[in-house]
Amino acid sequence: MAALRAEWIRIWRNPADTLATVAFNAVLMIGAWFLLPRNWLFEWTGPSGFALALAGWMYADVTATNVLAPDRERVLAALDDRDALGALLAAKAVALWMLIAPICATIAIAVGVVEQDWLFTAVVVVAVALCPFGALAGSSLVGVFFPYHQRSLRWRWEQRARWRTVVVRWLILLVVPYGVFPALSVAIAMVPVVLWRLVRPADVHTRIGTADFALCVALAVVISALMWVAARRIAVSRIQRHEPLAGYLRDRDRG
């Protein structure tokens, strides 16, 4: 709870970081949903898919990947305390979840009121609320292995002679989150979806049934939990055993 409280303080003291990023991605997703053909960017194009798509877009950004450098003082202070380091990383994922999951769950419920499909809506809410944890933990590994300091565009322009580390590396790490979180989400859903396709009747309707969807989500939650545990262990071990990482966090001029 102490780590979560500290993370909330950090988020609200610097709204241009997490809050602005999450809001920007939400605007992008809503614009794409209503202004473009939905099958261009979205797998589930029905009303119930809106909440799932919104959650995915809001999670998929540097707020889920670059978890160390923006909070380097607390990370460096916790280097020798494995429990504190694990709590800090977990708090970052939980705080991001607290910003996004209630909004998406509320939208899913509102859609359920219109569609009058309460069981399917309940399963969508569970999917939005529980499945992202594994993908968030896995996404944070990008920032553990490849962190970068938040510096102004003016500073990066002044340091453009170091284009490989200060410009190119930074630009790549800005784009990577949009692929990492969706890829991990697909990995979580792959086993349940393949299983459903194997056992479904040949004459089943193209729309997945509520019971089948609920079973898929339950299995996805289990896989997400396993991914959460594994990713957290890898992250903590990497941070504590990689001395160059600590040196990088201490020096903001590394870019």
Side-chain angles (χ1 to χ4, degrees):
M1 293 304 298
L4 184 58
R5 189 180 305 110
E7 179 63 15
W8 270 109
I9 293 173
R10 187 192 71 82
I11 288 174
W12 289 103
R13 283 181 176 175
N14 186 18
D17 182 14
T18 302
L19 296 177
T21 299
V22 168
F24 177 72
N25 283 343
V27 171
L28 279 181
M29 180 270 161
I30 294 171
W33 182 272
F34 289 106
L35 300 179
L36 298 176
R38 291 180 187 172
N39 57 3
W40 283 11
L41 297 174
F42 306 103
E43 181 68 22
W44 288 348
T45 57
S48 299
F50 182 85
L52 294 172
L54 182 62
W57 280 52
M58 293 172 79
Y59 284 124
D61 211 319
V62 294
T63 51
T65 55
N66 192 33
V67 295
L68 299 184
D71 201 9
R72 63 194 186 100
E73 291 84 3
R74 284 204 300 150
V75 173
L76 291 170
L79 281 179
D80 297 327
D81 189 337
R82 187 177 182 87
D83 291 338
L85 196 57
L88 186 152
L89 293 174
K92 290 183 177 297
V94 172
L96 190 59
W97 175 86
M98 292 174 69
L99 285 173
I100 297 172
I103 296 174
C104 296
T106 301
I107 292 173
I109 293 171
V111 171
V113 171
V114 176
E115 296 292 307
Q116 293 295 309
D117 191 349
W118 294 108
L119 184 56
F120 194 82
T121 298
V123 177
V124 171
V125 170
V126 172
V128 168
L130 298 180
C131 291
F133 279 104
L136 283 175
S139 298
S140 69
L141 293 177
V142 175
V144 170
F145 283 86
F146 305 102
Y148 67 88
H149 293 285
Q150 293 176 314
R151 302 303 302 263
S152 66
L153 292 177
R154 175 181 294 181
W155 182 87
R156 294 192 183 277
W157 176 252
E158 292 172 350
Q159 301 292 322
R160 63 188 180 279
R162 301 161 52 195
W163 62 275
R164 289 184 179 178
T165 56
V166 174
V167 179
V168 175
R169 179 178 180 275
W170 168 67
L171 289 175
I172 292 174
L173 292 174
L174 280 182
V175 175
V176 161
Y178 290 101
V180 172
F181 184 88
L184 292 173
S185 298
V186 169
I188 292 172
M190 185 176 297
V191 173
V193 171
V194 169
L195 180 62
W196 174 73
R197 290 184 181 275
L198 289 175
V199 302
R200 68 176 180 174
D203 59 345
V204 73
H205 192 272
T206 54
R207 182 182 185 274
I208 186 172
T210 300
D212 293 332
F213 188 42
L215 181 60
C216 290
V217 169
L219 184 54
V221 169
V222 173
I223 296 173
S224 180
L226 294 174
M227 185 180 292
W228 168 275
V229 173
R232 283 286 163 260
R233 290 182 177 178
I234 294 171
V236 172
S237 297
R238 167 73 176 186
I239 295 169
Q240 289 191 315
R241 297 178 182 178
H242 193 62
E243 181 59 31
L245 176 60
Y248 181 89
L249 293 177
R250 292 188 180 98
D251 185 3
R252 294 187 71 242
D253 288 334
R254 299 278 292 274

